[in-house]
């Protein structure tokens, strides 16, 4: 029998250790098919801080999630060995040192054949994770959900920050640029050409206003056609979703995606060759209701449900 989330009939859901989905906490990825990993980092943030508390709060809000996905029929714990690998021990005084700590951690995870599902943390962490992913798989396809393109050349003169990871990823050849989709982009910018650079790299941009009121099922069919069997990473910034549903984040932008659209995006990744995913930018100090962390926890479960080997493809 594979690891199972602790049942609400064995221990009340408000009791016990708050691991992700009440899974066992382990210290080695060996033997795991997938693992939840926290990266409690917020020193790459430009505006409201607090994502260092994201992993812990997402774990707390995950306590109600049961193991069977009623909508898709996915029962990930039937076929995958899954655990909570705890948090990456970042250096909260040094972004640069934290980056190499994160890359090293993920290289060990990936070498063990374990697919990482990350609880952020600010979006800076997508860069060191992508370095480890590309070291194993080569340049990957990317589904990137976000209000922001995160392709700034620098922020306050710094090349590493939560608004620059995908610029660096392109420069370091970590992405298969013609298989990159950025979904949910919006908000005010500095100039009319703010989004030109990613388009010039070959990215497909899907601004939020172009998909307001729409199902994203057709979009995801297009995404699957384009990406095919190329190893694919999903990076999900919670601020891609409207602040009405996910206001507990550092850089909120109005007019965002709905929760059903977020589910359509993740469920639409089901037939892709997923090699990793993250859910970043949950900031509990700004999440008075806990809804943002609750949403983040459930989206991470949905990500687990679309990994290879869970649903018949
Ligand atoms: Mn972002
Ligand atoms: Mn963002």
């Amino acid at each position: 029998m594979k690891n199972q989330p602790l049942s609400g009939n064995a221990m009340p859901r408000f009791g016990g250790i708050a691991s992700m989905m009440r899974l066992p906490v382990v210290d080695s990825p060996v033997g795991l098919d997938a693992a939840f990993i926290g990266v409690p980092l917020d020193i790459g943030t430009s505006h409201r801080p607090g994502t260092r508390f994201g992993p812990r709060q997402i774990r707390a809000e995950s306590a109600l999630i049961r193991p069977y996905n009623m909508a898709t029929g996915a029962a990930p714990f039937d076929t995958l060995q899954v655990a909570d690998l705890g948090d990456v021990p970042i250096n909260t005084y040094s972004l640069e040192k934290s980056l190499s700590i994160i890359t090293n951690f993920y290289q060990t995870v990936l070498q063990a054949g374990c697919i990482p599902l990350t609880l952020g943390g600010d979006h800076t962490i997508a860069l060191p994770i992508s370095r480890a992913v590309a070291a194993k798989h080569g340049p990957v396809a990317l589904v990137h959900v976000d209000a922001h393109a995160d392709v700034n050349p620098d922020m306050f003169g710094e090349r590493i920050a939560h608004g620059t990871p995908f610029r660096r990823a392109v420069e370091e050849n970590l992405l298969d640029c013609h298989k990159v989709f950025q979904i949910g982009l919006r908000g005010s910018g500095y100039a009319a050409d703010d989004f030109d650079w990613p388009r010039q790299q070959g990215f497909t941009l899907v601004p939020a206003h172009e998909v307001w009121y729409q199902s994203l099922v057709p979009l995801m069919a297009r995404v699957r056609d384009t990406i095919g069997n190329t190893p694919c990473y999903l990076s999900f910034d919670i601020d891609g979703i409207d602040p009405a549903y996910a206001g507990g984040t550092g850089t909120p932008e109005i007019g965002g995606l709905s929760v059903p659209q977020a589910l359509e995006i993740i469920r639409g990744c089901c037939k892709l060759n997923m090699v990793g995913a993250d859910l970043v930018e949950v900031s509990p100090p700004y999440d008075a209701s806990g809804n943002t962390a609750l949403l983040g926890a459930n989206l991470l479960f949905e990500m687990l449900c679309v990994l290879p080997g869970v649903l018949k493809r």
Side-chain angles (χ1 to χ4, degrees):
M1 180 102 162
K2 300 186 186 306
N3 292 341
Q4 298 293 316
L6 182 59
S7 165
N9 296 318
M11 167 68 78
R13 292 200 172 272
F14 45 85
I17 305 295
S19 63
M20 184 63 185
M21 284 195 72
R22 300 163 36 110
L23 284 161
V25 178
V26 302
D27 55 15
S28 165
V30 175
L32 299 180
D33 298 305
F36 293 106
I37 302 167
V39 185
L41 180 138
D42 65 2
I43 54 176
T45 307
S46 57
H47 190 45
R48 309 196 304 202
T51 58
R52 66 178 61 186
F53 300 111
R56 189 167 281 188
Q57 196 63 31
I58 290 169
R59 286 188 177 99
E61 294 294 344
S62 76
L64 187 58
I65 305 175
R66 292 159 289 257
Y68 180 73
N69 190 318
M70 296 295 286
T72 68
F77 305 103
D78 287 0
T79 51
L80 300 183
Q81 179 72 322
V82 189
D84 186 332
L85 265 176
D87 288 344
V88 180
I90 58 121
N91 181 335
T92 198
Y93 301 110
S94 167
L95 196 47
E96 189 189 336
K97 285 178 181 167
S98 293
L99 258 60
S100 56
I101 292 168
I102 295 166
T103 299
N104 290 338
F105 191 105
Y106 279 76
Q107 278 181 331
T108 304
V109 170
L110 289 156
Q111 274 162 14
C114 174
I115 298 178
L117 299 170
T118 300
L119 293 57
D122 76 51
H123 221 156
T124 312
I125 66 176
L127 177 62
I129 295 170
S130 297
R131 285 172 175 162
V133 168
K136 169 158 180 170
H137 295 287
V140 292
L142 174 68
V143 176
H144 171 207
V145 183
D146 205 322
H148 315 96
D150 291 353
V151 294
N152 291 299
D154 55 70
M155 298 179 84
F156 222 79
E158 298 293 328
R159 290 172 58 78
I160 304 297
H162 78 152
T164 68
F166 300 111
R167 171 82 68 143
R168 299 289 92 80
V170 169
E171 292 166 352
E172 297 178 22
N173 195 30
L174 310 180
L175 300 176
D176 186 340
C177 290
H178 291 274
K179 298 185 175 185
V180 174
F181 289 81
Q182 297 189 296
I183 306 169
L185 305 183
R186 62 188 190 275
S188 46
Y190 284 103
D193 60 358
D194 272 7
F195 292 154
D196 286 355
W197 187 87
R199 287 196 176 98
Q200 286 159 7
Q201 311 313 307
F203 292 15
T204 301
L205 272 57
V206 183
H209 68 265
E210 290 184 8
V211 293
W212 282 345
Y213 323 115
Q214 291 176 29
S215 164
L216 297 188
V217 170
L219 169 68
M220 294 310 294
R222 225 177 91 212
V223 168
R224 289 194 300 274
D225 280 349
T226 304
I227 292 178
N229 204 42
T230 303
C232 181
Y233 187 82
L234 169 62
S235 192
F236 201 120
D237 184 328
I238 198 79
D239 73 28
I241 301 174
D242 193 85
Y245 313 110
T249 192
T251 45
E253 308 283 357
I254 64 161
L257 302 177
S258 68
V259 174
Q261 285 178 316
L263 294 171
E264 287 172 338
I265 292 169
I266 298 173
R267 291 173 185 172
C269 291
C270 165
K271 289 170 185 155
L272 292 170
N273 179 16
M274 301 303 296
V275 296
D278 63 54
L279 189 289
V280 298
E281 297 284 352
V282 171
S283 177
Y286 293 94
D287 187 21
S289 68
N291 277 354
T292 310
L294 177 69
L295 178 57
N298 278 274
L299 295 182
L300 281 156
F301 172 60
E302 293 284 340
M303 291 172 188
L304 175 66
C305 289
V306 296
L307 295 188
V310 173
L311 281 169
K312 289 203 174 62
R313 289 141 72 77

